[in-house]
Amino acid sequence: MQIVQQILFVLLAAAAVILFARKVREIRRNIKLGKDTRINDNPSARWRNVLLLAFGQKKMFKRMTPAILHFFVYAGFVIINIEILEIILDGIFGTHRLFAPYLGGLYNVLIGCFEILAALVLISCAIFLVRRNVLKLKRLNQGELDGWPKTDANAILATEIILMGLLLTMNAADYNLQQIGSHHYYNTGSSFWVSGLLAPLFSGMSETSLVVLERSCWWLHIAGIFAFLNYLPYSKHLHIVLAFPNAYFAKLVPQGKMENMKDIQNEVLYMMEPDKAPADAASAEPHRFGAKEVTDLSWKNLMDAYSCTECGRCTAVCPANITGKKLSPRKIMMDTRDRVEEMGRNIDKNKEFVDDGKSLLHDYITTEELRACTTCNACVEACPVSIDPLSIILQLRRNLVMEESNAPQEWNMMFGNIENNMAPWKFSPDDRDKWAQELAEG
């Protein structure tokens, strides 16, 4: 019977890993639909970002209550995986608490710490559910979260509560089996710091019933872990994985610095100094100005979209959104991810992308949203994992203005003034200091 369980476990683990790897390859393919861009400068500063932003969650602590709760969940996710390693090895080799004989008293301390973390994860997730569904915090209940995004967040929190509950119940049953000297249950000598408090609830059960309870929780727990692994790529919780590379590739230049469009700069240069134009400049296919589709964005923009936690901190500090305008930086990232996922499914179906008559601009993100942005960078500053919604907004808006000539009259007047007077105001450069002269004369 034991060998059958081992075979079933290996098959389950292999299926989970294969399915996860397949989805990861698909997401990698989708991210690479973006334009290539080299980001390899200043590696020391980039690794510092990984340590402070991804591992240290530095930006999270601008809001202390959710930061502490999130830290408990994050630490539990990372550290409890050490115990999951033991569970996996037990499943493969048919052992039980494989590490216990080798670690001695240290094993009991580790299990106790794991249990405390599991309890903290359970409590934190329960509080997060209350914040979302009872207190109904504004940033967690805005329109773009209706439907699947809200269901996704609640499902993940509920799943983590169930997984931690199974772990603690499994250990409580295990503790009782150790006390009665049941075969196969190695006596660790541990009091099981949390589950030991639950153990009296099951003390009246027979040995057979305890074994069934412990094995059921063991199988449900590890099967839940494998299911969670494969749910992750379909969920906003993919940020658990992508937060680290996203922090590494984050922009290092000052946030207010915008990237110039090299094609425009070259076009002006070749017009002013034709001798510097390459021989094939006239025949070269014109580039698209700005972005209309996700393929016009960079791979980093698309990684940003997949890394979005949907926490809403960007939208909560957006002055346009606060004043009732349609723009939500969180929605910009969600729409970008939805569009690239749609393109990926199109490629999977047709072996290559077949024009579906849609585009990121207009079909997903509207002109009204783009015009509302003040380019203040508040969203970029607020994001815990260094996502840059403004980069996408600027590229889409450039396409609106430069390819569609779609700009309000006020903008066109400003553009004309800049072109003619080298400033947004309708005054000649020679007349700009007249106000000071008039002040002195008065």
Side-chain angles (χ1 to χ4, degrees):
M1 185 62 183
Q2 183 61 42
I3 190 65
V4 173
Q5 291 188 53
Q6 289 174 250
I7 293 171
L8 288 174
F9 179 84
V10 171
L11 291 174
L12 178 64
V17 171
I18 291 170
L19 290 172
F20 177 74
R22 182 181 299 173
K23 184 61 179 177
V24 167
R25 285 196 301 269
E26 180 184 314
I27 291 174
R28 183 174 181 272
R29 186 272 317 276
N30 290 351
I31 290 174
K32 292 184 73 175
L33 292 174
K35 293 190 299 186
D36 188 30
T37 181
R38 293 177 63 83
I39 306 176
N40 56 6
D41 61 310
N42 203 342
S44 60
R46 296 190 177 282
W47 282 114
R48 183 172 179 271
N49 276 346
V50 173
L51 291 174
L52 291 179
L53 302 181
F55 281 103
Q57 302 183 54
K58 177 182 176 181
K59 286 189 175 182
M60 287 290 294
F61 283 88
K62 292 181 179 180
R63 298 170 182 260
M64 288 303 297
T65 299
I68 292 171
L69 295 173
H70 189 275
F71 180 79
F72 289 153
V73 175
Y74 165 74
F77 175 82
V78 173
I79 297 173
I80 292 175
N81 281 335
I82 299 172
E83 184 174 18
I84 292 173
L85 173 62
E86 182 185 50
I87 291 174
I88 290 173
L89 292 176
D90 281 341
I92 294 172
F93 298 114
T95 54
H96 186 72
R97 299 199 177 274
L98 177 65
F99 296 158
Y102 305 101
L103 297 179
L106 177 60
Y107 182 84
N108 297 334
V109 173
L110 288 174
I111 291 298
C113 292
F114 295 157
E115 289 202 339
I116 290 175
L117 281 172
L120 289 173
V121 169
L122 192 155
I123 294 168
S124 298
C125 288
I127 294 173
F128 281 139
L129 279 173
V130 171
R131 283 163 58 86
R132 283 181 175 273
N133 301 286
V134 179
L135 300 180
K136 293 187 180 296
L137 297 186
K138 182 180 177 181
R139 69 181 176 88
L140 302 176
N141 286 275
Q142 291 180 285
E144 63 262 26
L145 296 180
D146 290 344
W148 167 248
K150 186 176 292 185
T151 301
D152 172 41
N154 287 332
I156 285 290
L157 292 171
T159 299
E160 291 186 16
I161 289 173
I162 292 170
L163 289 176
M164 294 305 101
L166 288 169
L167 177 65
L168 295 174
T169 303
M170 176 187 76
N171 283 352
D174 194 328
Y175 175 80
N176 282 319
L177 287 165
Q178 290 181 34
Q179 300 308 302
I180 61 176
S182 180
H183 176 67
H184 190 66
Y185 288 87
Y186 178 83
N187 193 333
T188 63
S190 173
S191 60
F192 287 81
W193 298 350
V194 177
S195 62
L197 301 176
L198 303 176
L201 298 175
F202 312 110
S203 59
M205 297 174 63
S206 67
E207 181 177 353
T208 302
S209 298
L210 285 171
V211 170
V212 169
L213 176 63
E214 190 274 337
R215 286 291 85 191
S216 297
C217 290
W218 188 93
W219 275 103
L220 289 171
H221 179 73
I222 195 61
I225 294 294
F226 289 146
F228 180 84
L229 177 69
N230 281 279
Y231 178 73
L232 201 64
Y234 298 90
S235 165
K236 77 186 187 79
H237 289 76
L238 185 60
H239 75 268
I240 293 171
V241 177
L242 289 183
F244 301 95
N246 210 63
Y248 182 85
F249 291 115
K251 288 171 63 175
L252 299 180
V253 298
Q255 289 178 359
K257 183 177 180 180
M258 297 182 186
E259 294 182 8
N260 289 326
M261 297 178 64
K262 196 66 178 177
D263 294 334
I264 296 292
Q265 289 179 300
N266 287 338
E267 186 174 329
V268 173
L269 173 65
Y270 301 154
M271 180 177 64
M272 302 297 292
E273 302 180 52
D275 57 302
K276 293 187 177 181
D280 61 347
S283 60
E285 183 178 346
H287 295 280
R288 174 173 282 167
F289 297 139
K292 184 175 183 178
E293 185 56 278
V294 291
T295 49
D296 300 322
L297 300 171
S298 72
W299 63 262
K300 176 57 170 64
N301 293 138
L302 303 187
M303 180 184 281
D304 276 351
Y306 274 108
S307 303
C308 181
T309 70
E310 298 177 16
C311 65
R313 284 172 171 78
C314 54
T315 297
V317 298
C318 174
N321 188 273
I322 290 171
T323 54
K325 295 180 176 63
K326 193 174 180 180
L327 174 64
S328 167
R330 170 172 56 191
K331 180 179 176 294
I332 297 292
M333 304 315 301
M334 293 170 68
D335 286 342
T336 303
R337 182 179 61 213
D338 289 346
R339 177 56 181 163
V340 76
E341 280 281 298
E342 184 177 47
M343 290 188 72
R345 290 191 294 270
N346 185 312
I347 294 170
D348 290 336
K349 179 181 178 180
N350 302 297
K351 307 305 179 186
E352 62 180 7
F353 181 70
V354 176
D355 187 10
D356 56 4
K358 297 180 182 180
S359 65
L360 179 64
L361 181 59
H362 299 307
D363 290 297
Y364 282 81
I365 300 172
T366 64
T367 302
E368 182 182 352
E369 292 172 84
L370 298 174
R371 287 182 181 175
C373 179
T374 67
T375 65
C376 67
N377 271 289
C379 55
V380 182
E381 173 62 27
C383 180
V385 292
S386 297
I387 291 169
D388 188 358
L390 182 58
S391 174
I392 296 175
I393 292 171
L394 287 177
Q395 293 179 72
L396 294 174
R397 199 157 63 183
R398 280 172 170 169
N399 188 269
L400 275 177
V401 173
M402 302 186 72
E403 294 218 354
E404 298 185 11
S405 299
N406 186 344
Q409 181 61 28
E410 295 84 356
W411 290 16
N412 288 326
M413 291 174 60
M414 179 187 69
F415 297 151
N417 290 335
I418 291 173
E419 182 177 359
N420 297 319
N421 304 317
M422 294 173 286
W425 306 282
K426 197 174 183 178
F427 298 104
S428 167
D430 296 333
D431 296 335
R432 284 186 205 142
D433 60 352
K434 277 192 174 181
W435 67 273
Q437 294 175 12
E438 293 171 359
L439 186 65
E441 291 173 359

